[in-house]
Amino acid sequence: MQSSGHRLRDVEQHHPLLGGGEGEAQVAVGRIWFIQDGCGMVCASMTWFLVMYAEFVVNFVMLLPSKSFWYTLINGVAFNLLAVLALAAHLRTMLTDPGAVPKGNATKEYMDSLQLKPGEVIYKCPKCCSIKPERAHHCSICKRCIRKMDHHCPWVNNCVGENNQRFFVLFTMYIASISLHALCLSGFHFFTCVKVQWSECSDFSPPVAVMLLIFLCLEALLFLTFTAVMFGTQIHSICNDETEIERLKNEKPTWERQVRWDGMKAVFGGPPSLLWFNPFAGLRLRRLLMVHARKEGSEFSV
């Protein structure tokens, strides 16, 4: 006799609406996914503010006053490029449907339309009244069941799930990179300024420059620690094909695990390439604009 997990996978294979197939993806293209959560919106705004603060200190306090053209150019291009990629990954994580199950689809009419065979088992979420696929969990903030939900992150104001995990990994990686870069630049700038006794070292007065550098170092150290740990945790989860919720609940896998490179290819899409590091990959901006051009306004998913 098949287990409930195997029976559920059989149902998902025969019914595309339960498997997140092409039909559901087309529906998601025509709307903007955004969670209207006060705490999440404040945290996401703080993330942007802190990155912009780092941009200000690095560019206007350390790089532009430097007398070395190549030092300013190389570090400026590297830091600003990483910052743009980090913010782009943050937006993609926040505005991408993480894998929400259609809300309220567990109706009698829909259940009858599935034409379930005797012995086939599906699960219904009592909170959002939806048919709950395997490995889906309900998020109390998103008020939806999310496929392969890892956790809800207030810093991106969204759940990290099946569809946006790759962008969250890129976000943590690029934030950790610019944090480390900012720490190195701050240390070198402080050492250089002390050596010349702050003469012609910055357009700001020494007390102001020191305060800006200290706050930047504290911010960078905090962000580096947090995002590096999150990046390592996400890579470990992907390589073991186990979400954080499944690990905490000690759920025994009823699915065929895609470990190591198979798991990485499943999350990032395809074999290893530079596209893995591109948060703009797969962005159908033209199609999205064409869809919204035919509508009067934007539709927000909550």
Side-chain angles (χ1 to χ4, degrees):
M1 180 179 293
Q2 287 182 313
S3 67
S4 59
H6 285 84
R7 290 196 292 268
L8 179 58
R9 286 199 298 273
D10 291 340
V11 175
E12 291 181 352
Q13 291 172 359
H14 288 90
H15 303 288
L17 288 178
L18 296 180
E22 184 177 353
E24 184 178 340
Q26 291 176 351
V27 175
V29 169
R31 66 167 186 252
I32 297 176
W33 176 271
F34 184 77
I35 302 301
Q36 297 181 1
D37 174 61
C39 177
M41 289 187 287
V42 170
C43 290
S45 300
M46 286 181 58
T47 302
W48 275 70
F49 171 77
L50 292 173
V51 172
M52 291 302 174
Y53 172 81
E55 285 269 343
F56 170 78
V57 176
V58 168
N59 288 314
F60 293 99
V61 178
M62 291 188 284
L63 294 182
L64 290 180
S66 175
K67 295 182 180 180
S68 174
F69 172 77
W70 291 110
Y71 175 82
T72 300
L73 179 64
I74 294 174
N75 284 286
V77 170
F79 187 86
N80 287 284
L81 177 61
L82 290 173
V84 169
L85 291 173
L87 293 178
H90 182 271
L91 280 178
R92 293 298 302 274
T93 308
M94 182 172 61
L95 301 178
T96 298
D97 181 347
V101 179
K103 195 173 183 178
N105 66 347
T107 61
K108 185 179 183 303
E109 293 76 11
Y110 183 72
M111 298 286 287
D112 293 338
S113 68
L114 294 179
Q115 298 179 351
L116 300 176
K117 298 178 181 179
E120 290 182 328
V121 177
I122 58 176
Y123 298 96
K124 172 184 175 182
C125 176
K127 298 178 181 179
C128 60
C129 193
S130 63
I131 297 176
K132 193 173 184 179
E134 186 178 31
R135 305 189 70 183
H137 294 85
H138 184 84
C139 175
S140 59
I141 299 176
C142 296
K143 297 181 175 60
R144 300 287 288 274
C145 283
I146 307 297
R147 299 176 184 275
K148 290 184 67 175
M149 176 181 171
D150 188 85
H151 67 286
H152 185 95
C153 179
W155 296 104
V156 297
N157 190 32
N158 201 1
C159 277
V160 177
E162 185 177 63
N163 295 340
N164 66 346
Q165 188 175 26
R166 61 166 295 196
F167 303 123
F168 183 75
V169 172
L170 293 179
F171 168 68
T172 57
M173 182 183 71
Y174 287 129
I175 289 293
S177 300
I178 65 174
S179 298
L180 180 61
H181 194 182
L183 282 173
C184 294
L185 289 175
S186 299
F188 179 79
H189 185 77
F190 187 81
F191 175 79
T192 303
C193 290
V194 170
K195 189 175 181 180
V196 298
Q197 297 182 352
W198 295 91
S199 61
E200 300 181 359
C201 185
S202 175
D203 295 334
F204 296 86
S205 63
V208 174
V210 169
M211 290 300 297
L212 292 173
L213 288 173
I214 290 176
F215 187 80
L216 176 63
C217 289
L218 293 175
E219 173 196 341
L221 185 61
L222 180 63
F223 268 53
L224 175 62
T225 304
F226 175 74
T227 54
V229 170
M230 288 301 302
F231 176 77
T233 302
Q234 289 296 303
I235 296 298
H236 180 269
S237 297
I238 293 172
C239 290
N240 288 277
D241 196 12
E242 182 183 44
T243 66
E244 188 65 18
I245 292 180
E246 292 164 350
R247 186 187 68 82
L248 292 175
K249 290 186 175 181
N250 198 23
E251 296 182 358
K252 295 182 179 179
T254 57
W255 59 91
E256 184 178 353
R257 281 187 166 180
Q258 295 179 309
V259 296
R260 296 181 177 85
W261 280 112
D262 290 335
M264 295 290 289
K265 288 187 287 186
V267 171
F268 286 90
S273 69
L274 291 177
L275 292 177
W276 279 21
F277 305 95
N278 182 12
F280 300 100
L283 182 62
R284 301 176 182 179
L285 182 60
R286 182 178 179 183
R287 183 177 180 182
L288 182 63
L289 292 176
M290 290 176 62
V291 171
H292 283 282
R294 296 194 295 265
K295 296 185 177 182
E296 295 180 359
S298 300
E299 178 183 346
F300 289 84
S301 295
V302 294

